[in-house]
Amino acid sequence: MQRREKREKPEQPCIYFPQAPQPGEWRRSVGLVFTATPPEITEEVRVSVPAIDLNLQRGLTKNLYVVGRLQTQFIQNSLNLGLRYAMPLSEKWFVSAGYDINGWMGVLKIRDVFDAQAYGVSNYPNVSVGYRLTRTLQLMARTEAIFDFYYHSQVGSLSVDYHRPQLSGVAFAFALEQPFYKKQHVTLGIRAAYSRFNWQFWSLYETFDRPLFYPQLFFGFIL
């Protein structure tokens, strides 16, 4: 009589899908993020400078893991650190809750004409829901609140500081993770933020205080 061995389904590579890595396991990805400028700031001009996007995650327990994300355009950078608690609801449905702290910094110098720098801190509490369409195709939806905690900017000898924690806006993201070539997996997603401030456009110094729409496209290779 032959014994049938129970085979576990292999865990699919993922970065945004709300499934925790095994304790001690690392997950990585590298890609690009494209953010369009709102017409309220630049009017007819459309500027979309891509940022290099690096993700790093490590499992702490069965459900808890730490995440890190670096976005850089060299003259301005953003570092995100956070915790996620993820759990499966069924074989296809997964959910996670997290809290991220973001620090950003930018420096812009144009000879003796313009000398500006800025930095700040924001927080992003978030909830994600994932659905496994097939064995290798995964879909994620995330919603997050955007809290600005600190902002500092300086142009020459003039500086501005804000220490008032406030709800700046909300964001929604959708990502699809799937095989690309052989064993390589990729992430393709969009993010829509409706917020009073976006760190990538600090140097434009908008003169009004109201939420604007910031559409974003991101793409990455899961390593």
Side-chain angles (χ1 to χ4, degrees):
M1 185 174 179
Q2 295 181 350
R3 294 182 58 186
R4 294 182 180 180
E5 296 183 359
K6 184 179 179 182
R7 296 182 179 180
E8 296 182 357
K9 294 182 179 180
E11 181 179 342
Q12 301 304 309
C14 60
I15 289 293
Y16 292 92
F17 192 76
Q19 183 179 31
Q22 296 297 321
E25 178 188 358
W26 289 95
R27 295 197 301 213
R28 308 168 183 85
S29 76
V30 58
L32 294 174
V33 177
F34 299 85
T35 306
T37 54
E40 293 87 345
I41 299 179
T42 57
E43 297 181 352
E44 293 84 5
V45 180
R46 294 293 184 271
V47 181
S48 181
V49 180
I52 298 173
D53 188 19
L54 304 174
N55 285 278
L56 185 63
Q57 302 177 355
R58 180 177 172 83
L60 300 178
T61 67
K62 180 181 178 180
N63 301 104
L64 188 67
Y65 60 108
V66 62
V67 301
R69 186 183 188 188
L70 173 65
Q71 297 180 61
T72 177
Q73 294 169 318
F74 300 106
I75 61 173
Q76 52 190 15
N77 307 279
S78 168
L79 179 61
N80 202 78
L81 298 174
L83 283 175
R84 299 275 195 282
Y85 184 89
M87 59 181 295
L89 300 179
S90 66
E91 290 187 356
K92 290 184 174 293
W93 288 96
F94 295 75
V95 66
S96 75
Y99 194 89
D100 299 351
I101 299 176
N102 172 262
W104 62 272
M105 179 178 181
V107 177
L108 184 59
K109 294 185 178 181
I110 305 177
R111 295 182 180 179
D112 298 329
V113 179
F114 191 74
D115 183 3
Q117 59 180 327
Y119 52 86
V121 177
S122 301
N123 287 12
Y124 304 118
N126 56 81
V127 175
S128 300
V129 176
Y131 181 70
R132 184 160 289 160
L133 298 169
T134 66
R135 191 177 66 85
T136 59
L137 196 62
Q138 303 177 137
L139 181 66
M140 181 280 304
R142 175 184 298 169
T143 179
E144 59 188 17
I146 303 173
F147 287 92
D148 290 329
F149 271 64
Y150 179 71
Y151 170 85
H152 169 86
S153 67
Q154 183 172 343
V155 179
S157 59
L158 301 177
S159 63
V160 176
D161 286 271
Y162 292 103
H163 298 271
R164 304 187 304 272
Q166 63 176 349
L167 177 64
S168 180
V170 295
F172 302 92
F174 301 90
L176 183 67
E177 295 180 320
Q178 64 179 36
F180 177 66
Y181 179 72
K182 293 185 177 180
K183 295 183 178 181
Q184 181 67 63
H185 286 68
V186 297
T187 296
L188 179 63
I190 58 174
R191 181 177 182 266
Y194 188 65
S195 174
R196 286 185 169 86
F197 178 74
N198 186 300
W199 67 271
Q200 288 181 296
F201 306 114
W202 64 271
S203 59
L204 299 181
Y205 294 105
E206 62 269 21
T207 58
F208 43 83
D209 182 21
R210 62 185 176 88
L212 299 177
F213 178 62
Y214 297 92
Q216 195 175 74
L217 173 67
F218 54 92
F219 175 83
F221 290 95
I222 302 175
L223 305 179

